[in-house]
Amino acid sequence: MATASLEHERAQRRLGVALVEQRRLRDDYTAAVGTPAELGADAALHAADQEVAARDAWLKWVDDDGYHGLNAGPFDLRSELEDALGQIR
């Protein structure tokens, strides 16, 4: 599926950008430890950690065989469920 491949590339790219930002903010935090800037740097690093986790989860979801594309709606999923149930019956 071309759409899944394209979204995989986008998700990988976004995860890479988030990882670079996380590393940068980790360095900022390390430099700020013991200074008045420590709290702000810690908050920024926490937000970056959350961003990386979200981007990683999205990439895993996109790579899942059940991925139907960004515009998949309940009708797409319903037809797949009906097909599966038809095979069981």
Side-chain angles (χ1 to χ4, degrees):
M1 176 185 256
T3 303
S5 177
L6 179 60
E7 192 56 37
H8 169 84
E9 290 175 23
R10 288 179 183 160
Q12 244 183 346
R13 192 173 339 113
R14 289 175 180 155
L15 176 59
V17 169
L19 286 167
V20 168
E21 181 68 1
Q22 182 188 44
R23 277 186 232 115
R24 184 185 71 75
L25 290 170
R26 185 173 289 123
D27 291 344
D28 288 354
Y29 172 75
T30 300
V33 170
T35 71
E38 181 178 359
L39 181 59
D42 183 50
L45 178 56
H46 178 72
D49 291 342
Q50 296 299 309
E51 181 74 13
V52 166
R55 297 294 181 186
D56 184 53
W58 176 250
L59 178 59
K60 288 176 182 167
W61 188 82
V62 166
D63 286 344
D64 182 17
D65 288 338
Y67 179 66
H68 294 276
L70 293 177
N71 297 321
F75 297 110
D76 184 35
L77 298 175
R78 181 176 176 184
S79 67
E80 183 178 287
L81 179 60
E82 288 171 348
D83 290 345
L85 289 174
Q87 291 174 2
I88 295 171
R89 293 180 187 158

